[in-house]
Amino acid sequence: MINQNRYEEALEELIKALELTSQVLVDNKREYALQGLYLNIGKAYIGLEQWPLALNYSKKAVSIFNVLRFKMIALNNVAAIFLETEQPDSSLKYAELSYSLADSIQDDYHRLLTKVNQAEALLKLKRYDEALPIIEGNIELSTQFDYPYGIASGLNQKANYFAGRGDYRAALEILQKAEGLAPEVSDKELLIDTWGNLEEVYVKLGNYSEAYSFQVRRDQLKDSLHSVQNTKNFNELLLRFQMAEKEKQIVEQKLELKRKEASLAKRDLQILIVSTSLVLLLLGSLTFVFRTRQLQERKVQNAVIAEKEKGLSAVISATEEERKRISKDLHDGIGQKLTALKPGIINLAPQLQDKELKQQLDQISNEFSKSAEELRQISHQMMPKALMEQGLIQALEDLLENTFKFSPITCNFEYYKVEGRYAERLEVSVYRIAQELLNNALKHARATEIHMQLMELDKQLILIVEDKGKGFDSGLAQGQGLYNIKSRLDIVKGVVNYEPGPETGMLATVTIPLS
């Protein structure tokens, strides 16, 4: 009913449902029902432009921290109410709170709605330079989502920005675009606002005939909306009058009350059945609308996520290709040159008679060997040869040996049912994730032992890394290493879970689906 602008009818049913919540004994379920009902009662009062009541019920929905999405919507409704009551400072505060919740659950649709209210509040505060980038971002995002209402609303705000700056020609051009979207938007309130803005701009430009034509069109549309509402209000008053008359007759006929008790009880039962049916129907309608909106929002979110994953995959692929190239260049270029030069240095030693020079040449030869070994290690870290040629098991064994051979940490590696080769992307991802986890244990965990396992179970590849150290450092939760792990897992649809080890330290479990 709310979506059909039947606000007063919706209110009656919502208040009946609100009375029934006292019968819900489970606290969580009662709070869930209350928060949803307060939210929708607030919406109905917004539609009736009864701002104090709308604000009261919307704030009640905010105060119940049960469903995060309900709280987000209620905060944005409060922001809209403060806009209507000319309190832009308060509107801006609540819109920003709503945006932070929308951002935390990655809800692009409500990010856009809250940004619209933020922009409107900034325009009313005449903070034009802050408003413009938000408005342009809203128009761009609405265009990407093919959301005509968002585009038209954004164009109206952009026109108000130029009008506020005194550039009425630019404002007129933008408003004409917004008016052109009216058939796609099918929102009469937005069209009324657009025509009202056009009237004001034409007045500023001195074109009073055009201004008057838009004033007439706007007033006619407003009158048509109000006449529908007035007719509905009259019918409701008539119904209430008839009910009052009936109640008067009942009072006058008290002497016959006992005779009519049976029929009245039957009528009350019918009313209860009808009321319950209406409440259930309303709740079903609200659930359907909420579910439909969820599906639309999920579709938008999935599209955004797919684009992000595509970009992330491209970045990681390009990074690994560059690692391969650099590794090959180091090995085939500088590495081979160092290998070719070393015998020359060794052969030069017997030709020297001076012991001091000979000793210096030995030192140079030792440093040369160390440099060659470091270069080999760097080449191996960039793209391990074992991973490309022998597979994941050999590469992980080499990784453990090379990481901890100069440290007192003891380590072991076990694998189970890992046979054959996997896709290159998957093998590289598992190797890099293991590399990040081992580096974290080496640098931050102060571990004394490292245990690593790799297994294939139920069409899943599972990597377990356990260290006996000081445990997971929450300060590293936003570190680049853990971000890299998450990015690689997003590409292969995997997940990681961090928890305390059986004794002490950290236990990281990585799970990647193979199908």
Side-chain angles (χ1 to χ4, degrees):
M1 294 182 185
I2 291 175
N3 290 337
Q4 297 172 354
N5 298 332
R6 295 159 60 189
Y7 302 118
E8 293 186 352
E9 296 173 60
L11 270 174
E12 288 185 1
E13 304 306 326
L14 286 165
I15 290 171
K16 289 178 185 177
L18 190 61
E19 292 170 353
L20 291 174
T21 56
S22 61
Q23 301 176 22
V24 182
L25 301 179
V26 181
D27 290 344
N28 286 342
K29 291 183 178 179
R30 184 171 61 254
E31 288 186 356
Y32 176 88
L34 280 172
Q35 191 178 25
L37 287 167
Y38 287 150
L39 176 63
N40 283 294
I41 290 171
K43 285 182 179 179
Y45 279 125
I46 289 173
L48 293 171
E49 298 184 2
Q50 295 185 21
W51 306 121
L53 287 169
L55 184 61
N56 179 39
Y57 279 98
S58 296
K59 282 192 171 182
K60 283 185 177 182
V62 170
S63 67
I64 300 176
F65 196 85
N66 193 291
V67 181
L68 197 61
R69 185 173 296 277
F70 286 175
K71 184 180 179 73
M72 170 191 71
I73 296 170
L75 283 167
N76 202 41
N77 287 348
V78 171
I81 293 165
F82 279 128
L83 279 176
E84 293 292 341
T85 54
E86 300 298 327
Q87 300 177 69
D89 284 318
S90 297
S91 175
L92 184 60
K93 181 181 75 173
Y94 278 92
E96 288 172 345
L97 289 172
S98 181
Y99 179 83
S100 67
L101 289 183
D103 195 46
S104 70
I105 61 176
Q106 297 185 341
D107 186 330
D108 289 315
Y109 175 74
H110 280 95
R111 279 176 179 153
L112 176 61
L113 293 185
T114 57
K115 283 293 185 183
V116 169
N117 282 337
Q118 286 182 41
E120 191 66 29
L122 289 168
L123 287 173
K124 286 182 179 292
L125 292 168
K126 296 184 179 181
R127 291 159 60 177
Y128 298 114
D129 291 337
E130 295 175 61
L132 183 59
I134 297 176
I135 295 168
E136 290 179 336
N138 292 343
I139 294 172
E140 182 180 353
L141 194 59
S142 297
T143 303
Q144 291 175 6
F145 293 161
D146 193 20
Y147 181 41
Y149 181 91
I151 300 171
S153 176
L155 290 172
N156 266 276
Q157 288 185 332
K158 192 169 184 179
N160 288 337
Y161 163 81
F162 281 111
R165 292 296 185 124
D167 191 348
Y168 300 112
R169 290 289 179 189
L172 176 61
E173 184 179 344
I174 293 169
L175 285 169
Q176 287 169 341
K177 291 180 183 178
E179 186 190 18
L181 290 171
E184 297 180 53
V185 175
S186 300
D187 188 289
K188 292 182 179 179
E189 294 289 350
L190 182 58
L191 188 56
I192 287 171
D193 290 341
T194 305
W195 284 348
N197 289 334
L198 281 164
E199 176 195 345
E200 293 178 9
V201 168
Y202 274 120
V203 167
K204 294 293 183 180
L205 291 172
N207 190 339
Y208 299 106
S209 61
E210 282 293 333
Y212 177 72
S213 71
F214 279 106
Q215 180 188 1
V216 171
R217 291 159 69 183
R218 184 197 63 186
D219 291 345
Q220 287 175 344
L221 184 55
K222 287 177 70 175
D223 290 343
S224 69
L225 291 177
H226 289 157
S227 66
V228 171
Q229 186 64 40
N230 290 337
T231 301
K232 185 173 69 175
N233 292 342
F234 174 78
N235 291 336
E236 184 182 18
L237 288 172
L238 180 61
L239 178 61
R240 288 179 180 176
F241 174 77
Q242 291 170 345
M243 290 176 66
E245 286 295 305
K246 186 175 291 185
E247 289 173 0
K248 182 180 178 182
Q249 291 173 10
I250 292 172
V251 172
E252 292 172 350
Q253 297 172 0
K254 282 184 179 180
L255 295 175
E256 301 178 35
L257 185 60
K258 288 187 178 181
R259 184 178 59 82
K260 295 182 178 180
E261 279 183 354
S263 61
L264 286 172
K266 183 178 179 181
R267 190 192 69 177
D268 289 343
L269 179 61
Q270 291 173 341
I271 291 173
L272 179 61
I273 292 171
V274 170
S275 299
T276 304
S277 300
L278 286 171
V279 170
L280 292 174
L281 180 62
L282 174 65
L283 291 174
S285 300
L286 291 174
T287 302
F288 174 77
V289 170
F290 182 72
R291 179 63 178 164
T292 302
R293 182 166 291 177
Q294 268 193 327
L295 290 173
Q296 291 173 343
E297 292 171 3
R298 190 175 299 163
K299 184 178 178 181
V300 171
Q301 289 173 5
N302 287 340
V304 172
I305 289 169
E307 286 301 316
K308 287 180 179 177
E309 287 181 351
K310 190 184 295 182
L312 184 59
S313 177
V315 169
I316 289 177
S317 296
T319 301
E320 293 300 337
E321 287 299 320
E322 186 64 10
R323 283 173 179 267
K324 284 183 187 178
R325 185 190 67 77
I326 295 172
S327 176
K328 188 174 184 303
D329 288 348
L330 289 174
H331 182 270
D332 296 345
I334 300 173
Q336 288 186 0
K337 287 181 180 178
L338 289 175
T339 302
L341 286 171
K342 187 174 179 181
I345 295 174
I346 294 171
N347 292 333
L348 185 62
Q351 300 176 28
L352 297 174
Q353 301 300 322
D354 190 320
K355 289 184 179 181
E356 186 177 345
L357 286 176
K358 206 170 182 182
Q359 185 178 6
Q360 290 177 1
L361 188 62
D362 288 340
Q363 291 176 352
I364 292 170
S365 178
N366 289 334
E367 291 299 323
F368 193 93
S369 297
K370 290 179 183 178
S371 298
E373 177 62 20
E374 287 179 6
L375 182 65
R376 191 186 71 81
Q377 290 290 339
I378 292 170
S379 175
H380 181 82
Q381 290 290 326
M382 294 299 294
M383 184 54 66
K385 187 176 180 181
L387 182 62
M388 295 294 101
E389 296 181 357
Q390 297 171 278
L392 195 53
I393 298 299
Q394 185 61 50
L396 291 176
E397 287 178 343
D398 289 354
L399 176 62
L400 275 170
E401 181 184 351
N402 292 330
T403 303
F404 299 108
K405 68 180 178 180
F406 296 119
S407 78
I409 300 173
T410 60
C411 55
N412 64 64
F413 174 47
E414 299 174 348
Y415 55 92
Y416 176 70
K417 283 192 176 181
V418 181
E419 301 170 356
R421 299 295 300 268
Y422 298 101
E424 181 179 332
R425 172 183 289 186
L426 190 146
E427 289 190 342
V428 171
S429 295
V430 172
Y431 181 86
R432 295 300 181 199
I433 290 167
Q435 196 173 37
E436 293 288 359
L437 291 171
L438 294 177
N439 283 338
N440 184 65
L442 182 64
K443 294 177 182 178
H444 307 292
R446 299 176 186 171
T448 57
E449 295 180 33
I450 298 288
H451 302 280
M452 187 162 70
Q453 295 176 305
L454 184 69
M455 62 192 78
E456 184 179 325
L457 293 173
D458 298 328
K459 296 184 179 179
Q460 292 181 321
L461 191 61
I462 300 170
L463 173 69
I464 299 173
V465 178
E466 178 188 357
D467 68 67
K468 292 185 179 180
K470 68 174 184 177
F472 185 73
D473 186 351
S474 60
L476 298 172
Q478 303 299 324
Q480 185 64 38
L482 298 189
Y483 174 78
N484 290 341
I485 291 173
K486 183 181 181 304
S487 298
R488 290 187 179 276
L489 285 173
D490 287 343
I491 297 302
V492 292
K493 309 296 183 185
V495 295
V496 62
N497 180 55
Y498 303 102
E499 58 183 293
E503 298 178 21
T504 55
M506 183 187 74
L507 178 68
T509 305
V510 177
T511 306
I512 301 172
L514 294 175
S515 59

